[in-house]
Amino acid sequence: IFTAFAKSVDALQRVGILAGNGTALAAPVAPNAAAAPLPARMALTESQREIWMTHQLGDKPAASFNEGLSLRLDGPLDQPALEVSLAELIARHDALRMVFDRSGESFEIRAEAAPALVFTDLSGKADPEADLAQIVAEEQAEPVDITGAGVLRLNLVRLGAQARVLGMTAPHTPGGGWA
């Protein structure tokens, strides 16, 4: 196990993904523009079909596949720059532009998908942390619209002048699960 781990770390350092011995990380590599285009529609995997079928059972079963991530952002925030960064992230990762076909047979990767960043300002509330906990709970209970809006939901919650939380919700498939 140690040898395999060491080889993986060495490989990540060689390509500049992981810094080693005090060296700086290499600049990110641009996506390969020469890569073959994806087919218009691709068949769902068995795990993806399971997600689609669960969505047919209703909101509560569908939401059981939600995976959430909350990032606390303290300090000044350039919200337009954040939105550009999120758009670039989504443009770079096909799985974040995935939309399931209503038939449950296939999915497509949308060419473009601008992030819909929902903004909520809790800075004037008496207990913004309690309100944030309620928003997170509601977000996790709400199924992701896998056949319409896409598989990623983004929320930015302002807690105070210098405190925000970026929330991301996706179903199991693009969220990095075993699908």
Side-chain angles (χ1 to χ4, degrees):
I1 293 174
F2 176 78
T3 303
F5 179 76
K7 285 181 180 179
S8 296
V9 168
D10 289 342
L12 291 171
Q13 288 175 337
R14 272 194 308 278
V15 297
I17 294 174
L18 183 65
N21 300 330
T23 60
L25 289 175
V29 177
N32 184 354
L38 294 171
R41 295 219 174 263
M42 290 164 269
L44 295 178
T45 65
E46 185 177 333
S47 296
Q48 291 167 336
R49 268 194 214 98
E50 181 181 341
I51 291 170
W52 181 85
M53 289 188 316
T54 304
H55 274 74
Q56 308 316 300
L57 299 175
D59 288 353
K60 190 171 183 176
S64 71
F65 279 97
N66 284 358
E67 292 185 7
L69 173 69
S70 295
L71 300 173
R72 190 167 289 270
L73 307 171
D74 292 320
L77 177 69
D78 182 343
Q79 188 170 331
L82 173 65
E83 291 181 31
V84 168
S85 296
L86 291 169
E88 289 177 6
L89 176 76
I90 292 168
R92 186 177 182 111
H93 297 283
D94 296 337
L96 299 178
R97 298 188 320 276
M98 173 191 299
V99 178
F100 285 60
D101 185 74
R102 292 192 185 282
S103 71
E105 297 297 318
S106 63
F107 68 90
E108 68 176 302
I109 304 296
R110 292 192 173 155
E112 294 182 21
L117 184 63
V118 176
F119 179 73
T120 305
D121 188 351
L122 300 177
S123 61
K125 300 286 186 171
D127 189 356
E129 292 291 340
D131 291 337
L132 173 63
Q134 180 65 32
I135 289 172
V136 169
E138 290 171 0
E139 181 65 20
Q140 288 302 301
E142 179 71 25
V144 175
D145 182 8
I146 63 172
T147 62
V151 296
L152 181 64
R153 283 198 311 250
L154 300 165
N155 296 287
L156 183 62
V157 179
R158 182 176 180 199
L159 301 174
Q162 300 289 312
R164 291 165 190 81
V165 173
L166 175 63
M168 296 175 260
T169 306
H172 187 66
T173 299
W178 285 98

